[in-house]
Amino acid sequence: MKKTEVAPSEGKLGIMVVGCGAVATTFMTGVLMARKGLAKPVGSMTQYDKIRVGRGAEKQYLHYKDIVPLADLNDIVFGTWDVYPQNAYQAAVYAEVLKAKDIEPVRDELEAIRPMKAAFDKNYAKRLDGDNVKTCATRWEMAEELREDIRRFKKEQDCSRIVVIWAASTEIYVPYDEKVHKTLEQLETAMKADDREHIAPSMCYAYAALTEGCPFIMGAPNTTVDIPAMWELAEKTRMPISGKDFKTGQTLVKSGFAPIIKTRCLGLDGWFSTNILGNRDGLVLDEPANFHTKEVSKLSTLETICKADDQPDLYGDIYHKVRINYYPPRNDNKEAGTTSTSSDGWAIRCR
Ligand SMILES: NC(=O)c1ccc[n+]([C@@H]2O[C@H](COP(=O)([O-])OP(=O)(O)OC[C@H]3O[C@@H](n4cnc5c(N)ncnc54)[C@H](O)[C@@H]3O)[C@@H](O)[C@H]2O)c1
């Protein structure tokens, strides 16, 4: 087996999550419960999946941690930023993804995870009105304050390394602009000039993370790290970027079905899907400018697999409709309103 050049995963790993909502608190609670042996990390590829290594008599199936150095769950420390000041326990209860039996055993640890002030601009998520927000004169200052947060967290928690994950609301769609997003120099100039139209708060988080030597993962469909300027920064700092969107709910179904349809050369007439969201994610996505970001990302999943150019007879004219239904949470009707993760409905029509 080829020897890995990845540095050993020694010391504590700080996972700083942007947004302390449904996804973030479910992730945190899962890790905390699993490491106490109170839950199984079902759904976690790093904990369960195996990869085949070697051939013939040498063939063996190994967990990821046996191939590359990976942090142990016991070495993880969580930090977070959010527009709302509720700690991770309060946020997990509000999210209603997990039941009390899943949350209470790690209540103390969750209560200790308190959001730092968010780098936020209401124009990017109009429906949110929390006040746990930084006051920054420019986008550059926003990034500088985030860098300071990362340094302080790393020191206070005695972490040897940090990774930053965006699990915050989907921002409005920011299209690629050649004059701002092409080079790192352009991006930095625009941040200093406080170009709020082209520099989303998420770009400040990504910029801060990469500059501080932290990998950045984009869990929303935002275009944050889809721009050459960010790739340049990632190359310069030799930090990985990944994303976008977590591809967990409806998108996962699409990613699974599309290859089946393609492999069997079935034609596709249409794909119709609905996400039913009752949490802040749904509230934010109820705004057309924010929904557009999700829509663009979801459309691309199907169309990169079933390509019209390759097979015009089969995929030449797919009717594709994605809807997100938001049901405001109502305490009197749990079923209709308060589901926090997406509950997906979908239909396909084959030729
Ligand atoms: N829930 C799912 O199954 C799922 C699947 C794939 C992708 N996603 C994406 O993951 C993200 C999180 O989803 P969720 O269900 O946890 O949503 P959520 O609404 O429960 O949580 C998002 C949190 O982000 C905070 N926030 C918004 N802007 C912020 C900023 N600039 N800085 C810091 N905090 C900010 C909000 O106040 C909120 O608490 C969304 O973008 C969503 O589209 C969710």
Side-chain angles (χ1 to χ4, degrees):
M1 197 194 319
K2 210 175 154 197
K3 255 191 131 36
T4 166
E5 285 169 19
V6 183
S9 59
E10 287 163 354
K12 287 200 230 164
L13 170 69
I15 303 185
M16 301 186 74
V17 191
V18 188
C20 190
V23 167
T25 56
T26 306
F27 168 44
M28 292 168 182
T29 309
V31 169
L32 297 172
M33 287 288 282
R35 73 187 186 193
K36 281 190 166 176
L38 298 172
K40 291 188 174 168
V42 173
S44 168
M45 292 168 72
T46 59
Q47 305 303 303
Y48 278 108
D49 197 22
K50 286 183 177 176
I51 296 178
R52 195 196 78 186
V53 181
R55 290 177 184 196
E58 307 241 303
K59 184 170 80 179
Q60 48 180 331
Y61 291 87
L62 300 176
H63 286 293
Y64 300 177
K65 70 175 168 48
D66 300 323
I67 302 169
V68 289
L70 273 191
D72 190 275
L73 293 187
N74 289 309
D75 292 330
I76 291 175
V77 189
F78 288 109
T80 189
W81 293 270
D82 203 288
V83 174
Y84 296 89
Q86 282 79 23
N87 64 47
Y89 171 76
Q90 293 165 320
V93 171
Y94 176 83
E96 288 192 357
V97 177
L98 301 169
K99 299 196 172 86
K101 71 176 175 55
D102 305 313
I103 308 173
E104 290 303 325
V106 289
R107 179 176 180 155
D108 292 350
E109 290 100 312
L110 287 170
E111 279 178 341
I113 305 169
R114 290 184 213 98
M116 292 175 275
K117 286 193 173 179
F120 182 66
D121 177 343
K122 202 168 164 57
N123 288 324
Y124 280 79
K126 282 199 177 60
R127 307 266 176 124
L128 299 180
D129 57 7
D131 57 5
N132 193 41
V133 171
K134 294 182 191 301
T135 42
C136 308
T138 62
R139 290 293 200 246
W140 183 255
E141 210 176 289
M142 209 179 231
E144 285 296 308
E145 286 198 24
L146 291 167
R147 289 184 64 182
E148 178 57 34
D149 287 346
I150 295 171
R151 285 196 293 265
R152 194 181 53 249
F153 179 83
K154 190 174 180 187
K155 194 166 171 217
E156 283 173 6
Q157 298 294 330
D158 191 24
C159 294
S160 62
R161 60 213 187 283
I162 301 282
V163 57
V164 177
I165 303 178
W166 178 279
S169 315
T170 303
E171 295 176 326
I172 56 168
Y173 188 64
V174 182
Y176 171 61
D177 187 309
E178 217 184 27
K179 295 198 190 80
V180 182
H181 300 135
K182 194 169 180 185
T183 68
L184 182 56
E185 195 184 344
Q186 285 173 346
L187 188 82
E188 289 177 339
T189 306
M191 287 167 77
K192 286 174 187 162
D194 198 31
D195 180 347
R196 297 182 183 204
E197 186 191 338
H198 298 101
I199 310 291
S202 61
M203 292 181 185
C204 298
Y205 283 99
Y207 182 92
L210 297 173
T211 313
E212 286 302 314
C214 316
F216 181 84
I217 299 165
M218 173 44 72
N222 298 346
T223 52
T224 318
V225 288
D226 300 351
I227 55 174
M230 253 350 142
W231 308 338
E232 190 183 330
L233 179 58
E235 296 239 346
K236 186 176 154 193
T237 57
R238 300 193 54 75
M239 281 297 120
I241 46 179
S242 74
K244 57 188 180 183
D245 216 352
F246 286 123
K247 311 280 187 222
T248 48
Q250 185 201 118
T251 321
L252 180 64
V253 173
K254 258 182 208 167
S255 313
F257 265 94
I260 295 177
I261 291 165
K262 185 171 177 222
T263 309
R264 287 291 290 106
C265 294
L266 298 173
L268 193 63
D269 264 350
W271 191 294
F272 313 84
S273 47
T274 302
N275 277 28
I276 301 168
L277 299 169
N279 64 343
R280 279 190 198 128
D281 191 27
L283 181 72
V284 170
L285 292 171
D286 205 32
E287 185 73 32
N290 296 76
F291 174 68
H292 187 55
T293 308
K294 199 83 169 171
E295 186 182 40
V296 172
S297 164
K298 283 194 182 291
L299 293 179
S300 67
T301 306
L302 191 59
E303 277 143 29
T304 49
I305 298 170
C306 296
K307 289 194 187 106
D309 288 353
D310 291 354
Q311 297 284 8
D313 286 352
L314 304 180
Y315 315 119
D317 190 20
I318 304 175
Y319 182 79
H320 201 157
K321 182 89 188 147
V322 182
R323 287 176 45 187
I324 300 216
N325 286 3
Y326 168 59
Y327 296 99
R330 279 172 32 199
N331 289 333
D332 59 332
N333 185 352
K334 298 269 177 199
E335 230 174 284
T338 55
T339 161
S340 283
T341 46
S342 54
S343 153
D344 299 329
W346 51 271
I348 51 178
R349 196 188 141 110
C350 290
R351 279 181 196 166

